[in-house]
Amino acid sequence: MKQNDYTIRLETPADYRETERVVREAFWNVYRPGCLEHYVLHTYRTRPDFVPELDFVMEQDGRIIGQVMYVRTCIHADDGRDIPIMTMGPICILPDWQRQGYGKALLDYSMERARAMGAAALCFEGNIDFYGKSGFVVASTRGIHYYAEPRDAEVPYFLLKELEAGCLDGISGVYQTPDGYFVDEDEAARFDAQFPAKEKLHLPGQLV
Ligand SMILES: CC(C)(COP(=O)(O)OP(=O)(O)OC[C@H]1O[C@@H](n2cnc3c(N)ncnc32)[C@H](O)[C@@H]1OP(=O)(O)O)[C@@H](O)C(=O)NCCC(=O)NCCS
């Protein structure tokens, strides 16, 4: 990545199909044979918890090379409160542009914009090797637990970052992945059929 050889801007309706294609290219066969993330983005845009002000694409020479989206959610605190936070994702960079700093640049820019909008903290599932470079920690070390795992488990893929320092001090609780991330796989397959055919492969390291 050369300094400033990219632009980050809000996604517009004219971008939708191309952004979905970029997401499909980036996620294809990474976490499962094929992927669902382009359909997640497609369906999320019309949900009330979607944050249009944080729906960004990254462009280089007029071509979309990456995207990120955010969702409003909350931590169910042990004291009975729901602490408003955001979650993030999908985020992606096209394969030929990966590991050159673009993903971190997009993540850091979008998090600064989320902080400016008043988001106190972010939680999501991800790889600490990437997100750790932007200040994320394993959430259970801060008393925030993942709904799908036992409370005493250290869940290495469930991550947290305070955007407002100290906002979660003294708070423990549980995070539940928002419903919009659980798409119907048959509907996703019908949506995917609108794109050029791609081979689904079982590869080492996939989660499903
Ligand atoms: C994950 C993704 C967004 C990262 O974007 P990227 O442009 O490739 O990442 P960057 O080059 O900005 O990497 C930033 C740092 O994280 C590290 N990193 C990035 N991806 C990593 C990975 N898969 N494993 C380990 N470390 C990784 C890099 O080494 C880099 O560290 P360095 O600055 O010390 O070298 C991108 O690879 C991608 O789209 N992957 C497929 C989709 C995906 O997995 N999205 C995230 C779902 S949670």
Side-chain angles (χ1 to χ4, degrees):
M1 182 175 75
K2 296 192 214 102
Q3 191 96 32
N4 295 331
D5 70 346
Y6 62 85
T7 307
I8 299 173
R9 62 167 176 81
L10 290 173
E11 191 189 33
T12 69
D15 302 318
Y16 285 176
R17 184 46 59 107
E18 177 60 10
T19 314
E20 289 157 7
R21 192 193 68 79
V22 166
V23 172
R24 183 176 186 252
E25 291 299 317
F27 279 91
W28 194 259
N29 291 334
V30 173
Y31 297 105
R32 60 161 60 222
C35 68
L36 302 174
E37 284 79 0
H38 54 319
Y39 188 58
V40 170
L41 172 61
H42 180 76
T43 52
Y44 233 124
R45 293 191 193 97
T46 53
R47 288 180 60 94
D49 48 343
F50 183 74
V51 188
E53 300 91 335
L54 299 173
D55 174 26
F56 291 115
V57 292
M58 179 177 246
E59 270 187 334
Q60 189 181 68
D61 300 328
R63 172 183 185 159
I64 295 175
I65 62 165
Q67 65 63 237
V68 64
M69 57 159 269
Y70 284 70
V71 169
R72 291 183 195 280
T73 185
C74 65
I75 292 167
H76 302 295
D78 294 334
D79 63 10
R81 286 181 293 163
D82 280 342
I83 312 292
I85 62 162
M86 287 190 192
T87 187
M88 188 265 333
I91 180 172
C92 74
I93 297 294
L94 273 177
D96 286 351
W97 280 262
Q98 290 176 8
R99 304 304 282 260
Q100 298 169 57
Y102 293 110
K104 185 172 189 309
L106 179 58
L107 175 65
D108 290 350
Y109 174 84
S110 63
M111 288 196 301
E112 177 50 35
R113 295 293 293 267
R115 192 199 59 73
M117 277 185 72
L122 295 174
C123 280
F124 51 76
E125 304 92 333
N127 181 346
I128 190 73
D129 293 336
F130 172 57
Y131 294 107
K133 312 265 180 178
S134 292
F136 284 82
V137 297
V138 173
S140 60
T141 64
R142 295 293 315 276
I144 308 301
H145 302 279
Y146 192 56
Y147 75 103
E149 297 281 357
R151 195 134 173 160
D152 57 357
E154 187 176 312
V155 186
Y157 60 85
F158 176 51
L159 309 178
L160 162 76
K161 180 181 165 90
E162 286 181 341
L163 300 180
E164 184 191 309
C167 70
L168 295 176
D169 285 355
I171 294 174
S172 60
V174 175
Y175 166 89
Q176 173 128 22
T177 306
D179 291 346
Y181 285 102
F182 299 98
V183 292
D184 181 281
E185 294 196 19
D186 292 335
E187 287 175 11
R190 281 194 288 279
F191 174 72
D192 188 70
Q194 299 172 22
F195 293 82
K198 269 174 98 69
E199 190 178 4
K200 292 184 180 180
L201 297 174
H202 291 268
L203 297 175
Q206 290 174 341
L207 305 174
V208 182

